[in-house]
Amino acid sequence: MVNTLEIAPSILGGDHSSLAESVEKIRAAGLRWVHVDVMDGHFVPNLSFGSGVVKALKRRFPEMFFDVHLMLDNPNLYVAQFAEAGSDLISIHVEPDYPVAETLDEIHLLGKKSGIVFNPDTPVGSVADFLPKVDLVLVMSVQPGFGGQPFRESALEKLSALERMRSEMGLSFRIEVDGGVDSSNIGAVIRAGADTIVAGTAFFKDGANLIKNAAIASM
Ligand code: DX5
Ligand code: ZN
């Protein structure tokens, strides 16, 4: 495996009355990545967290790695705010109409890791041009906006295609999958090429089993 296997629990699936408690659960499980789903009610039909949540959680848990997924129509207007708040990685979608390449460059200029994200109905070719620029590619295995949706098998082929493209291009970006991942399919996503696994519902329901199945699959 090019990269270490990381499980990134999504606090969208956590306890919104105490997100610190949810991050503590992630830390206590021996994990380091915290996936933060930011939604604007435009690009996706839901609202979630602002940069203030990242700021507060990063201040409380400086050792955790905050993997911030911006589901926004204009992420270019917000990357500075989320970088300043303490995000460690900021991923932005390829679908909306804004200067994607320049925004990816800006994330690096702000000293953060960058990621490009694409939806289930978006072809993998749409992110090809950005691969040399990014630290991570995020494959959505659900239509973004809500946790708890069923995993879409079509993501598996995209994960494998990205693994092939990464090795052909001699790159080392992380391959992340997000949406509907649980103990029943985590083995399949790892074998398909994912090295970074988002899980919201499945982690907070039965994190230990999820981690066990991931460990078995990555052996
Ligand atoms: C959906 C988010 C996902 C979601 C994952 O828009 O991007 O990160 O929270 O949640 P589960 O694992 O419950 O599908
Ligand atoms: Zn996400």
Side-chain angles (χ1 to χ4, degrees), residues 170-190:
L171 298 171
S172 59
F173 54 82
R174 280 190 165 273
I175 299 174
E176 188 172 41
V177 61
D178 183 0
V181 177
D182 60 24
S183 295
S184 72
N185 57 36
I186 195 164
V189 300
I190 291 171

Side-chain angles (χ1 to χ4, degrees), residues 110-191:
L110 290 161
K112 306 301 178 181
K113 299 279 187 199
S114 66
I116 189 79
V117 199
F118 62 117
N119 286 341
D121 298 337
T122 303
V124 68
S126 66
V127 300
D129 293 348
F130 304 115
L131 297 180
K133 275 183 180 300
V134 296
D135 303 293
L136 175 142
V137 181
L138 173 44
V139 177
M140 292 307 295
S141 39
V142 296
Q143 189 59 16
F146 299 90
Q149 301 176 71
F151 177 80
R152 293 196 197 185
E153 302 276 330
S154 57
L156 295 173
E157 174 42 40
K158 290 180 167 180
L159 294 169
S160 302
L162 283 164
E163 192 177 42
R164 283 194 301 274
M165 293 159 85
R166 180 175 65 186
S167 102
E168 282 155 13
M169 297 166 84
L171 298 171
S172 59
F173 54 82
R174 280 190 165 273
I175 299 174
E176 188 172 41
V177 61
D178 183 0
V181 177
D182 60 24
S183 295
S184 72
N185 57 36
I186 195 164
V189 300
I190 291 171
R191 284 188 294 275

Side-chain angles (χ1 to χ4, degrees), residues 92-112:
I92 55 180
H93 273 260
V94 72
E95 291 87 1
D97 177 19
Y98 68 97
V100 178
E102 293 81 348
T103 307
L104 289 169
D105 291 341
E106 184 185 0
I107 293 170
H108 275 168
L109 286 174
L110 290 161
K112 306 301 178 181

